[in-house]
Amino acid sequence: MERSIFFNLLVSLQLLLVGYIPAAVAGILIGYFIGINRFVYQICKWILQVPNTMVSIALLPIALIIFREAEAAAIVIVFFSAIWSIIINTATGIRHGRKQGKNFRLVINHIFEGLRFAVWIAWFSAIAIEMLSLDRGLGFIIWNAYKESKAGEIVEGIICIGTIGLLLDQLLYLTGNILSELVAEGQNSKEK
């Protein structure tokens, strides 16, 4: 029985969100604690570039060996792919915000820049994992359509992936702008 594209889209979103949301929470918390200490920040900003530049999908075989279940391995890889840019951008935002007299607007802008980049990387990772090791999701249906020479389904899947990626990016962009404006208004009212 062939599953609908809507079902596979929901599966892909679930994989993304189950890996991405914990990465966002943990990344912001870890980034905050790194950012408030100048010494820790100086050490970590270089060390964290190593996992940040790593292509997380290359770790899939190791995750499959460790977890022995494709779905658990997929979630871990999505988490791993997202967390580093969130930590780095949050820590950088905290450092710059403190230097500019507790400029929380700047901090929020950095955090959401990291969240936007992380969601793109996590989305890419989720789709690639589905192509390589899962039997459902948008990545799976695109790869399956390729094997069966169904160009229409490939295009349909690609359009879905691009649309979801754009919507997630814009949702984070708008949320970041709204929070940034609210914080700016709060800071301006305190100064008056």
Side-chain angles (χ1 to χ4, degrees), residues 179-192:
L179 286 175
S180 182
E181 290 301 319
L182 290 173
V183 165
E185 286 175 17
Q187 283 183 322
N188 289 339
S189 65
K190 280 183 182 178
E191 290 171 4
K192 288 179 182 176

Side-chain angles (χ1 to χ4, degrees), residues 1 7 18 89 101 107 125 169 176:
M1 186 175 94
F7 169 82
V18 170
N89 277 279
V107 174
S125 297
D169 177 74

